[in-house]
Amino acid sequence: MGAESPDPRSPHPVSLDPDPDEMRRLAHRAADLVVDHLLGIRDRRVVTPPDADVLGPLLAEELPRTGVGLDATMDRFFGSILAHATLVNHPRFFAFVPGPGSFAGAVGAFASAAANLFVGTWLGGASAAQMEVQVLDWLRQAMGLPDGFGTGILTSGGSMANLGALAAARARATTEGPGAGFRVFVGQETHYSVAKAARVLGIQDAAIVRITADGEQRIDLDALAEALVAARESGHRRGVVCATAGTTSTGAIDPLEAIADLCAEHDLWLHVDGAYGAATAFLPEREDLRRALGRADSLTLDPHKWLYAPFEAGCLLTPHERWLRCAFTGDGSYMQDIPRDAVNFFERGPELTRGGRAVPLWFLLRSVGIDAIADAIRGDEARARQAESLLAADPRVRIVTPTRLSVFTFTRADGDEARARAWLDTLLTRGSTMLSSSRVDGSYVLRFCVVNHATTDADIERAVAEVLEACDAPPLACPERAS
Ligand SMILES: Cc1ncc(COP(=O)(O)O)c(C=O)c1O
């Protein structure tokens, strides 16, 4: 007899999910562990200097052919892995631009992941797509932007929103005329993701024009005006000016109204990267900013920063749905059932499959309300000023740029850069307060950026005390650091 032919029937179905009672028990346990983590966060280290020699062995495990179960997996995550994490939502994390998140947003993220909503096409996920439309409109209204600013997309972050904006601007340019003359004007302090987006879109480095900064780290208007004239005279009539509402290093807001005037004069697209600062347009009293943002052709904001949404939540808003679609639309015979006159987010960005990105934001905005978010933003700004004035009172400290939005920069009054670096290294090693550094007009500075609704006055006092305690740390022996 020959070899037996394989059984054509499917194997017995295997569910990867536990039975109902066990599912409930595990969900409650997960909720307890999450809440314990959040409640205990203030007493934990903010940062443990990352060490691949520790993290490698910590995470290295045999390929798990036989699962160990969810209890053991949660124990490992909450018990040992999180202990090594840098906690960017810690109330004393003041480095870069913090990602504070929020409990309401986290509950939304859990709900969204469990429902596993698909939001790429109208047919595949109309209700979640409509929720995203609604959230985009709430954001528009909260920032006082005109009705016409009615389209956009939630992205994974500010970098992807900047990419979408540049793609839309270039789609307009190439449709309306020869694309070869396309120029991207950026400031000296523009976030690197803008130039990176240009490169990804195949725009040559030579077509990226860098405009010098004025004395307050903003785009210098005269230099921009000159560059625009020079570009036009050399036949480069198409392009995008990328202004920033809140630079990463110092929170500077470019002179947006004047830049909008120049863009109107030269018929150029104005993109505003407000990944950090556009959230302050939630404050009704910031009328100037709200009016200026309303003149942009596209606007990046980053709800996972200062709107307290969990990662990953970026956002691109624009009045020009046509150009967004022109940049990103696509087709295939397998797409023929999708109604093209409805909202299809795959036509507004590079991805087809996207999850329910709006859900965490919808939970957050709906449950706490935008007035509370505006109050939290005001609180962060006030606490940054509090930290600045406490530090300024110490004669060893020199404030380099004052609090703008919720960030200020400072250094040692004696100007010793090696010791300023040692100061930051000491803080990182101690791990109880985290700052980061940057350069202002070429010189090394420490940055203190407050973006966290959970940060209290007491956190600021403790952080400043820790910063001052570390001030006189000797330069590290490490030769490349000391030089
Ligand atoms: C001004 C600015 N633009 C863009 C980005 C990039 O945003 P993301 O990290 O969400 O991609 C950042 C990040 O800090 C930023 O500060």
Side-chain angles (χ1 to χ4, degrees), residues 306-328:
W306 219 353
L307 295 181
Y308 313 106
F311 297 133
E312 300 169 349
C315 177
L316 172 63
L317 290 174
T318 174
H320 306 300
E321 176 166 4
R322 175 181 173 201
W323 301 123
L324 205 51
R325 283 176 81 148
C326 186
F328 290 113

Side-chain angles (χ1 to χ4, degrees), residues 97 157-159 162 191 193 246 248 273 275 302 304-305:
V97 180
S159 304
N162 285 337
H191 193 267
S193 59
T248 318
D273 177 359
D302 231 358
H304 64 205
K305 293 186 168 64

